[in-house]
Amino acid sequence: MDQELNKASAFIKRLLANPALQPFPLLQKEEQILQFLKLNANSLFPTLTSPAFFNGKNWPEIFAILYQGLLDVINQDLFQQINDQLERIDFSFVSFLKEVNYPLSKCRDQIRDFLAKLLTKYETRQAFNGPFTAVSLSITDKYIEQSFLRHEYIHFELVKVQKLKMSKEEIKNMVKASLLLMVGATTATLTTSSYQNNSVSHLIPRQYAEKISRDMQDQLKLLPPELINSAVNANLSFLENKDTEATSRITGVFAMRCKNYKHIQTVDRGADFPDKSWLNIARRNYKYYGFDIKVLDEFYKIAAENGW
Amino acid sequence: MKKKSDFNIFEFFITAAIILVIVHTFLEDFALLSHWSQNIRDALMILGFCFDLFFTIEFLSRLYLAQNSKGMAHYFVHQYGWVDFLASVPLLMLSSGPQFVTYFVRDLSSAGLGSLLGFITLLKLIKTIRIARILRLLRIIKVFRNIKYADSPMAQRHVAKIITIAVSVIVAGVFCVSLVTSGLNLSANKDGFESIRQKYLNIIAESAANGMSMSRIVDSLLITAKAHDVVMIQKGDQVYFSKYNESEMARLVFGEDLKEARLDASGIKVVFDTRGENITLERIQAQDSLTYFCIVLLVVIAYLLFYSPHFAMTVSDPVNVMKQGMAQKEYNLEVKIPELFEDDDIFQLAKLFNEKYLPLKDRMADKPEDKSSVLDLGLADIQSMMDDEF
C-alpha cells in the first residue's frame, strides 16, 4: 500500500509540475487534478492499471489511491502555507475586541486546529480556496489601505458604523482572520442543503449563520465573537441583511474575487485590468451574489485608479 | 512536420533575400549619386541581375507548384502572384538582364566580335527604360507579406492589404509618370546631341571657309567646343586628334556612347562622347528612384507604426478579448473601451459583451455543476508522463 501511495504521490507531483497548472493557487490545482482524473478516467485507466503503476486494480481503487496521494501532497504544502499566513497575521486586534490578553500563539493554534479539522472534507477544501487565496495574495491589504486614504464609504462603514476603533493594520488583520474562518460556515451549506439559496451556492440564511456562530464560538473560545460573526456573516447576502458588518462584506467580496483566481502574467492587449474587470462584473451581479454595491463601487474605483 | 519546417526555412530564406534586394536597390542608386567607383557599380549591377534571376525562378516555381494545388489563377490573384511576377520577370527582361548582357557582350565585342554591335545597341536602348526599376519597390510588399508582425491573422491580412494597395498605387503612379517624363527626357537628350553636333559643324564650316589650317581647326574645335567631349578629329583617313587609344575606343559603341559630326564638303569628322549627357540623365533618374524608394518605405513604416496599432486597438484586440472570453470559461477580462471610439460598432458589441455576456457567464460559472469545463489540464499535457515508469 505504501508503495502504491508513493507511486500515486510521484504521479501527482508530476501532474502538479505541469506548466498548465502553474497559474493556479494550490487548492485550485487540487481541483483541477481531481476533475482531470474524473474526466479522463477511460483514457488513464489502461495505462494506470499496467504493471508500472497499479497492476490489476479497478478504477475506483486506483482513483482512491490517487486521491489519497493528492491529499497527502497538497496537504503538505497547504498546512505549511496556512502556518505561514497565520504567523504573518498579527492577532493583537483580538485583545482589543475581547479586552483580555491572550497569548497570540494560542489564537493561532486554535485556528490551525479548527482548519485542520474542517479541511478533511472535499467541499470545505473547495470553499477554502477563495478566502485562502485572498489571504495568500494579501489582496485585502492594498484595498483597505486605499479605502483609508479615500475616507469614503468603506472607511465610514468600518470606523463609524461597525465602530472598529482600531488601527488600519489591525483591521487588515481582522479581515484576513475573517477570511480564514469564513469556511466554518461551509459545514452548514453541506448539511443543510434545503437552506441553501437556490442560485448562489455559498450564501446561507441569517438564522443558520447565528447558529454556526454559536457553534464556532464554542470551538474557538479564545477568539472574540466579533471576529467569528465577521467571518460567518461573510456568507450572508447583504441585500437581505443590511446590518451585516463592513468587515464581513469586504471579506465576502475578496473571497469571491479569489474563488477562480488565476495568475495572469500579462493582460491581453485590449483587455481591462483583472481586478477592475472582476469588480465591474461583480457590480452587475451584486444582487445575485448579495454584495454591497457601494463597497464594490469603491473597490472598482480603487482598482481603476491603480491599474489593478 | 519536416516538410513544414523545410517550407519555413525556404520562406525565411526568401524573406532574407528580399530584404537584401531592397538594400541593394537603394545602394545601386546611391552608388551612382555618390560617385562610387565603376567596379563597385558593376558588382552591384551583377548582383542585381542575380537577384532578379533568382526571383524569376522563384516566381516560375511557385507558378508551377500552384498548378498542382489551387491553380495558377488563385496564386496570381489571391496569393500575391502578381507581385511576384511584377517584381521579377519585367526587371529581368527590361532592367538588370539587358545591363548584364551589355556588360559582358561589350567585352566580347572589344575582343573583335564587331557583329554584335547592333545587338548591343538594342540592349542599350532597352537599358534606358530605367523606369522598370521602380517595380523593384513592389518587393517591399513581399517582405511585409512574409514577415509576421501582428498576433491576429486578420490584422496581418488587413495591414498587408492596405500596404499592398498603397505601394501598388504609388509604384503604378510613378511608373506611368516616369514613362511619360522619360520619353520627354530621351527626346530632350536627342535634341541636345543634335545641337552639339550642329555646333561642331558650324565651327568646322566657319574655319574651312576662313581657310584655316587643319591644326588651327583642331585647336579651334578643342577650345571652342566642349573639349572634354571631343574624342577624335579626323580628315579623310588621317586622325588629327584622338583622346583614346585603339583598345579604349573599341569599348565604346558608336551611335550610343559616341556620335559624330561630319562636314562632307571638307571631309572633316568630329567624334564626340555622349556618355556625360547620359550619365547626367541616369543621375537624375537615380535621384528620382531614391526619392520614390524613400516615399514607399516611409508609407510602409507609417502604416506599420500608426495604422497597424490603430487597427489592433480598434478591431483585432477587442475581437481577440471577446473571442477568449467566449472560448475560455475562466477568462473574465472586460474589453477596454476607449472613449474616443465608444460609438464604433465593435465597441458597441464589446459593451454588450462587458455588460451582458460576462456577468451572465459569471453567474453560470457559479453553479456547482459542470466543473470539468474549467479544466486547464488536458491529456496532451501529460502524454510524456504516461510513457514513463514510476
Side-chain angles (χ1 to χ4, degrees):
Chain A
M1 188 63 186
D2 276 354
Q3 200 189 348
E4 284 171 346
L5 258 179
N6 286 342
K7 277 185 187 178
S9 297
F11 182 76
I12 295 297
K13 277 178 183 165
R14 289 195 64 180
L15 275 178
L16 280 169
N18 195 290
L21 293 179
Q22 296 322 302
F24 293 107
L26 197 58
L27 285 168
Q28 252 177 278
K29 286 181 185 171
E30 176 183 301
E31 177 63 18
Q32 286 270 332
I33 290 177
L34 264 181
Q35 294 305 326
F36 171 79
L37 293 175
K38 284 179 186 169
L39 198 73
N40 297 296
N42 290 340
S43 312
L44 293 170
F45 180 61
T47 310
L48 292 178
T49 196
S50 67
F53 290 93
F54 311 106
N55 194 15
K57 294 212 179 294
N58 60 30
W59 178 250
E61 287 170 329
I62 293 171
F63 183 80
I65 297 167
L66 288 174
Y67 184 54
Q68 190 52 52
L70 177 65
L71 287 182
D72 289 349
V73 172
I74 295 285
N75 279 348
Q76 220 172 346
D77 286 347
L78 180 66
F79 286 107
Q80 183 57 48
Q81 287 183 18
I82 289 172
N83 276 341
D84 292 347
Q85 291 307 327
L86 281 171
E87 289 303 323
R88 280 192 198 125
I89 297 172
D90 181 356
F91 281 91
S92 57
F93 70 91
V94 171
S95 309
F96 171 81
L97 289 169
K98 222 168 178 187
E99 292 172 354
V100 178
N101 272 330
Y102 285 112
L104 300 181
S105 62
K106 284 196 174 174
C107 294
R108 290 194 180 99
D109 290 343
Q110 213 163 54
I111 294 175
R112 190 180 296 117
D113 295 343
F114 176 72
L115 289 177
K117 205 161 63 181
L118 281 180
L119 292 174
T120 51
K121 296 188 185 82
Y122 165 71
E123 289 81 0
T124 322
R125 295 172 78 87
Q126 265 196 302
F128 191 57
N129 168 50
F132 186 61
T133 306
V135 175
S136 305
L137 297 173
S138 294
I139 194 167
T140 48
D141 288 1
K142 56 182 185 179
Y143 279 93
I144 291 172
E145 185 77 39
Q146 288 292 321
S147 303
F148 270 72
L149 285 175
R150 297 170 78 91
H151 275 82
E152 288 178 5
Y153 178 73
I154 292 171
H155 180 264
F156 182 82
E157 287 289 307
L158 287 167
V159 176
K160 303 287 180 196
V161 181
Q162 198 176 341
K163 295 189 172 60
L164 292 175
K165 306 276 187 226
M166 53 172 83
S167 73
K168 183 176 64 185
E169 294 307 315
E170 283 171 320
I171 290 176
K172 284 181 194 172
N173 286 319
M174 185 177 167
V175 172
K176 280 187 186 172
S178 300
L179 278 162
L180 289 177
L181 292 170
M182 75 176 282
V183 75
T186 316
T187 44
T189 59
L190 290 175
T191 53
T192 56
S193 57
S194 57
Y195 293 102
Q196 280 187 40
N197 186 314
N198 280 335
S199 51
V200 186
S201 53
H202 74 278
L203 293 179
I204 56 171
R206 181 93 206 190
Q207 60 270 37
Y208 271 84
E210 286 165 358
K211 183 182 173 300
I212 290 159
S213 287
R214 282 195 299 274
D215 289 350
M216 280 174 68
Q217 277 167 39
D218 288 342
Q219 293 179 62
L220 302 161
K221 290 190 192 305
L222 297 180
L223 301 181
E226 287 90 340
L227 173 62
I228 292 174
N229 287 339
S230 167
V232 174
N233 292 346
N235 297 286
L236 290 178
S237 166
F238 175 72
L239 300 176
E240 292 159 19
N241 305 279
K242 296 284 184 189
D243 57 344
T244 308
E245 299 88 337
T247 47
S248 300
R249 283 175 262 162
I250 293 169
T251 302
V253 168
F254 286 120
M256 190 56 95
R257 163 68 188 107
C258 296
K259 190 181 169 190
N260 293 316
Y261 183 86
K262 186 178 177 183
H263 179 65
I264 299 171
Q265 291 279 1
T266 45
V267 176
D268 289 318
R269 269 196 337 238
D272 230 324
F273 303 113
D275 277 7
K276 189 184 165 202
S277 291
W278 186 88
L279 286 161
N280 208 16
I281 294 166
R283 283 164 78 208
R284 296 202 175 91
N285 282 338
Y286 81 97
K287 286 181 185 166
Y288 178 82
Y289 289 113
F291 290 142
D292 179 355
I293 183 72
K294 288 181 181 172
V295 167
L296 291 174
D297 283 344
E298 191 169 329
F299 283 157
Y300 174 75
K301 279 185 216 159
I302 291 170
E305 281 168 15
N306 291 284
W308 292 339
Chain B
M1 198 65 189
K2 189 175 181 300
K3 258 189 173 177
K4 197 178 177 185
S5 76
D6 286 350
F7 181 76
N8 285 341
I9 290 168
F10 176 72
E11 287 299 334
F12 174 78
F13 181 67
I14 293 284
T15 307
I18 295 169
I19 291 170
L20 284 177
V21 91
I22 288 169
V23 174
H24 165 264
T25 307
F26 172 83
L27 284 181
E28 215 178 9
D29 289 324
F30 188 75
L32 191 65
L33 289 174
S34 307
H35 304 280
W36 286 10
S37 77
Q38 187 62 42
N39 286 345
I40 296 175
R41 281 163 50 199
D42 286 347
L44 285 170
M45 183 272 294
I46 294 166
L47 195 63
F49 171 76
C50 295
F51 276 128
D52 289 340
L53 187 65
F54 171 77
F55 285 114
T56 302
I57 294 167
E58 184 224 348
F59 165 70
L60 294 173
S61 312
R62 284 186 193 274
L63 197 67
Y64 176 74
L65 290 172
Q67 235 182 341
N68 301 328
S69 54
K70 290 185 174 174
M72 288 183 182
H74 184 268
Y75 162 66
F76 209 81
V77 178
H78 298 291
Q79 294 180 321
Y80 292 87
W82 62 272
V83 174
D84 289 345
F85 169 74
L86 287 176
S88 60
V89 181
L91 285 159
L92 189 71
M93 304 295 286
L94 299 173
S95 181
S96 61
Q99 269 184 311
F100 181 79
V101 175
T102 315
Y103 178 78
F104 280 100
V105 171
R106 188 172 58 186
D107 280 351
L108 292 176
S109 72
S110 68
L113 298 171
S115 59
L116 289 170
L117 219 64
F119 178 56
I120 298 165
T121 309
L122 175 72
L123 291 178
K124 283 210 155 202
L125 264 174
I126 294 172
K127 200 181 81 172
T128 58
I129 311 173
R130 289 177 62 92
I131 44 173
R133 292 156 52 84
I134 290 163
L135 295 173
R136 280 192 178 153
L137 297 179
L138 287 173
R139 284 181 182 146
I140 289 174
I141 295 172
K142 289 184 71 181
V143 176
F144 292 99
R145 191 190 62 186
N146 289 358
I147 292 176
K148 190 175 180 292
Y149 50 86
D151 297 334
S152 141
M154 178 176 67
Q156 172 101 15
R157 187 166 47 81
H158 272 266
V159 177
K161 188 91 176 172
I162 208 150
I163 286 175
T164 303
I165 292 170
V167 173
S168 306
V169 166
I170 292 171
V171 170
V174 167
F175 189 84
C176 293
V177 171
S178 300
L179 203 64
V180 175
T181 53
S182 95
L184 293 175
N185 281 341
L186 279 175
S187 136
N189 239 23
K190 200 177 171 186
D191 292 347
F193 296 144
E194 204 46 55
S195 80
I196 293 167
R197 176 185 282 125
Q198 200 52 55
K199 197 195 282 177
Y200 289 130
L201 289 176
N202 289 344
I203 293 166
I204 297 166
E206 206 176 301
S207 306
N210 291 339
M212 286 166 75
S213 66
M214 194 56 207
S215 62
R216 292 276 309 275
I217 292 174
V218 169
D219 290 344
S220 176
L221 276 166
L222 291 176
I223 293 163
T224 320
K226 290 170 77 180
H228 59 278
D229 284 343
V230 175
V231 172
M232 193 167 72
I233 301 171
Q234 206 175 344
K235 185 176 181 184
D237 291 334
Q238 195 176 350
V239 176
Y240 284 88
F241 170 81
S242 181
K243 193 173 179 181
Y244 303 118
N245 60 32
E246 261 184 45
S247 65
E248 283 170 335
M249 281 294 278
R251 290 181 65 85
L252 303 170
V253 182
F254 268 93
E256 182 56 29
D257 296 335
L258 305 175
K259 293 196 187 298
E260 64 173 35
R262 181 196 291 267
L263 192 66
D264 287 336
S266 63
I268 299 172
K269 181 174 87 174
V270 177
V271 177
F272 62 95
D273 200 336
T274 62
R275 286 177 300 167
E277 298 294 327
N278 285 334
I279 285 172
T280 309
L281 184 64
E282 274 186 12
R283 288 222 171 95
I284 292 167
Q285 286 175 339
Q287 205 169 353
D288 289 348
S289 289
L290 269 184
T291 309
Y292 302 139
F293 179 87
C294 292
I295 289 171
V296 167
L297 213 59
L298 284 175
V299 165
V300 170
I301 290 168
Y303 271 121
L304 287 177
L305 285 183
F306 302 111
Y307 181 72
S308 188
H310 175 77
F311 184 85
M313 185 181 75
T314 55
V315 183
S316 59
D317 287 349
V319 167
N320 179 47
V321 173
M322 286 189 273
K323 188 184 84 181
Q324 294 209 61
M326 289 180 181
Q328 299 174 36
K329 203 135 191 184
E330 78 280 14
Y331 192 97
N332 64 354
L333 297 183
E334 291 191 319
V335 177
K336 202 186 275 178
I337 302 178
E339 238 175 81
L340 200 61
F341 307 112
E342 62 185 3
D343 292 332
D344 284 13
D345 298 358
I346 201 102
F347 289 114
Q348 292 286 319
L349 178 67
K351 207 172 169 190
L352 286 173
F353 174 83
N354 289 352
E355 291 176 3
K356 305 281 180 199
Y357 179 77
L358 283 180
L360 180 68
K361 182 182 149 187
D362 187 60
R363 291 199 297 273
M364 297 300 287
D366 188 57
K367 304 274 182 206
E369 64 272 13
D370 195 24
K371 289 228 167 59
S372 57
S373 53
V374 295
L375 203 59
D376 272 39
L377 191 64
L379 267 180
D381 292 319
I382 63 152
Q383 201 51 55
S384 64
M385 263 180 70
M386 301 301 284
D387 301 333
D388 295 344
E389 282 193 12
F390 287 88

